[in-house]
Amino acid sequence: MSETQPLTSRCEPEGKDLLRVFLCGAIDERADLEAIFAPLKSDLVLDLSGIHRLNSMGVARWIPAITSYSSRHRVSIEAVPYPVAIQANCVVNFFGQATILSGLGPYFCPACGDNSLVEVTRAEVLAAGRRP
């Protein structure tokens, strides 16, 4: 069985009161979300494109962390990957009070046979007359 990559984070300032946080790896029983969120004190844009796995123990750690942080700060979430979207559809208040800006969806190109992930934004969904 292959070892999964532990959860890591990288932060980049985006202006005076906004921080972009990139999460990468697995949100599981080893994910120390408290250590990631505790030092943060500003509004966030969370990029979840690097999350490749999320299990039930990860969900149990994620919900209190995002709920607590998003109750005190504005949080936007970008590039929600498929494993996270599956869990979010099953768990009420999975993202706390955060706003979802985009998700990653599978795309197959019949012309070249390539499989890839494409980012679909909230604005694109609204422009298509759909409910996000």
Side-chain angles (χ1 to χ4, degrees):
M1 180 180 235
S2 66
E3 184 68 23
T4 59
Q5 179 184 357
L7 184 66
T8 60
S9 65
R10 176 174 52 92
C11 301
E12 294 179 1
E14 284 203 356
K16 183 181 175 204
D17 296 320
L18 183 64
L19 192 63
R20 180 174 295 273
V21 178
F22 297 86
L23 296 181
C24 186
I27 300 177
D28 59 14
E29 59 280 356
R30 299 173 301 156
D32 191 355
L33 292 164
E34 181 63 31
I36 291 172
F37 283 105
L40 305 176
K41 306 293 183 212
S42 64
D43 293 344
L44 299 180
V45 175
L46 282 176
D47 184 310
L48 302 183
S49 62
I51 300 299
H52 60 82
R53 184 171 168 266
L54 174 67
N55 67 16
S56 60
M57 292 298 295
V59 170
R61 291 174 177 262
W62 169 264
I63 291 173
I66 193 67
T67 300
S68 174
Y69 197 87
S70 66
S71 70
R72 297 185 318 274
H73 303 280
R74 187 174 35 210
V75 178
S76 300
I77 299 179
E78 293 183 334
V80 175
Y82 185 74
V84 175
I86 293 299
Q87 291 290 339
N89 280 325
C90 298
V91 179
V92 69
N93 295 325
F94 183 85
F95 291 113
Q97 295 178 36
T99 301
I100 307 305
L101 300 179
S102 65
L104 299 176
Y107 174 74
F108 172 75
C109 177
C112 69
D114 186 39
N115 285 304
S116 61
L117 292 174
V118 294
E119 189 169 10
V120 180
T121 67
R122 180 181 185 92
E124 291 171 326
V125 171
L126 291 172
R130 301 290 206 151
R131 185 174 176 210

